[in-house]
């Protein structure tokens, strides 16, 4: 759901961010061609998970504690919203981006009592993952670019969904954007396929390593089985694929 939910806007997910500027995909285009389909698939997948694990979910504690929590001051909430808005607006201006981020860290440290622990370690995992993508992804151009250029739009959808399990989806879309003369249908199929397969492996989507870091303690030996992950991801992947291909 995180993988396909990233297509609601042109700045939410790396595979879209890699091509949105070059292909002139704005938020209206994304919501019209991708967003509503992704939202429908997210709802269906979430409903299936809740239904399949309804007994386990019913046994979970309600989350209510005996100690009442104080509400977060509206000013703190407003500051967080402004920080988020600023990071989105200045995403391509490193100096402003880092300045806003450092201010956010200062506010978070000064008012720790009003917020949860910052998951900086998990965020840095994603950052290093993307840094590795930028460094090493271009080296895969010699085989990915000619392969994508020879595919039809239908082939590229299923090809991208499969390749993203072994090559990060942002690398696929970035290398696809280097190919000139692509049709709109081909561009849509490339991005849709790249995000559809984002849950098949740990390396298929940038947020997956962070999610694995957070959840691994709940798995036997704190290790996630690659085969188990593929089998668990097949049904939601099929739902997402049907939404992007048939709607």
């Amino acid at each position: 759901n995180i993988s396909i939910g990233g297509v609601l806007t042109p700045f939410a997910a790396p595979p879209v961010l890699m091509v949105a500027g070059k292909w002139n995909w704005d938020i209206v285009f994304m919501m019209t061609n991708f967003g509503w389909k992704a939202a429908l698939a997210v709802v269906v997948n979430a409903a299936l998970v809740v239904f399949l694990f309804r007994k386990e979910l019913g046994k979970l504690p309600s989350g209510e504690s005996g100690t009442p929590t104080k509400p977060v001051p509206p000013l703190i909430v407003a500051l967080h919203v402004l920080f988020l808005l600023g990071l989105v607006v200045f995403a391509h201006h490193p100096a402003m981006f880092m300045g806003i981020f450092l201010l956010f860290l200062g506010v978070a440290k000064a008012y720790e009592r009003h917020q949860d622990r910052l998951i900086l370690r998990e965020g840095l995992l994603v950052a290093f993952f993307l840094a590795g993508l930028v460094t090493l992804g271009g080296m895969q151009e010699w085989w990915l670019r000619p392969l994508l250029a020879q595919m039809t739009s239908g082939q590229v959808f299923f090809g991208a969904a499969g390749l993203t399990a072994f090559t990060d989806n942002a690398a696929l879309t970035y290398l696809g954007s280097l190919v000139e003369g692509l049709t709109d249908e081909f561009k849509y199929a490339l991005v849709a396929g790249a995000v559809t397969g984002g849950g098949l492996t740990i390396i298929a989507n940038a947020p997956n390593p962070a999610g694995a870091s957070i959840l691994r303690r709940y798995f036997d030996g704190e290790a996630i089985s690659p085969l188990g992950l593929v089998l668990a991801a097949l049904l939601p992947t099929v739902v997402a694929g049907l939404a992007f291909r048939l709607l």
Side-chain angles (χ1 to χ4, degrees):
N1 281 352
I2 291 173
S3 180
I4 62 175
V7 299
L8 268 71
T9 67
F11 52 78
V16 179
L17 192 61
M18 291 291 185
V19 301
K22 183 173 182 179
W23 292 346
N24 297 316
W25 286 3
D26 57 14
I27 192 167
V28 174
F29 176 89
M30 293 304 302
M31 290 296 295
T32 303
N33 293 276
F34 289 92
W36 68 274
K37 301 174 185 179
L40 180 61
V42 165
V43 170
V44 172
N45 283 334
L48 286 173
V49 169
V50 171
F51 176 76
L52 292 174
F53 296 98
R54 59 191 182 279
K55 293 182 179 179
E56 289 84 353
L57 293 172
K59 296 177 182 177
L60 293 175
S62 63
E64 297 178 357
S65 60
T67 305
T69 57
K70 296 181 179 180
V72 178
L75 180 59
I76 298 296
V77 176
L79 281 174
H80 277 266
V81 173
L82 288 175
F83 285 139
L84 182 60
L85 179 61
L87 291 177
V88 171
V89 172
F90 296 105
H92 297 285
H93 303 275
M96 290 295 296
F97 184 96
M98 290 304 300
I100 295 171
F101 180 60
L102 290 175
L103 283 174
F104 162 74
L105 291 179
V107 171
K109 181 65 177 179
Y111 299 97
E112 284 181 316
R113 63 187 181 278
H114 293 310
Q115 31 215 331
D116 296 327
R117 178 186 69 86
L118 295 179
I119 52 174
L120 291 179
R121 184 185 67 175
E122 293 79 4
L124 286 173
L125 282 174
V126 177
F128 284 121
F129 184 87
L130 292 176
L133 166 63
V134 173
T135 304
L136 303 175
M139 298 180 183
Q140 303 177 62
E141 181 180 355
W142 65 273
W143 69 275
L144 272 176
R145 186 174 176 180
L147 180 64
L148 291 173
Q150 295 174 9
M151 291 181 173
T152 64
S153 60
Q155 291 172 336
V156 80
F157 175 83
F158 294 105
L163 282 173
T164 192
F166 310 100
T167 302
D168 178 73
N169 50 21
L172 285 176
T173 58
Y174 168 70
L175 294 175
S177 70
L178 300 178
V179 181
E180 299 297 336
L182 298 180
T183 64
D184 291 339
E185 186 180 7
F186 187 99
K187 296 174 182 177
Y188 170 88
L190 175 62
V191 175
V195 298
T196 296
L200 293 173
T201 63
I202 293 295
I203 65 171
N205 193 31
N208 292 356
S213 175
I214 295 170
L215 300 173
R216 67 180 181 180
R217 66 181 182 274
Y218 299 108
F219 292 86
D220 293 336
E222 293 193 1
I224 300 174
S225 166
L227 179 60
L229 180 58
V230 169
L231 294 176
L234 282 180
L235 179 58
T237 298
V238 169
V239 171
L242 291 175
F244 286 126
R245 289 296 295 172
L246 300 181
L247 298 180

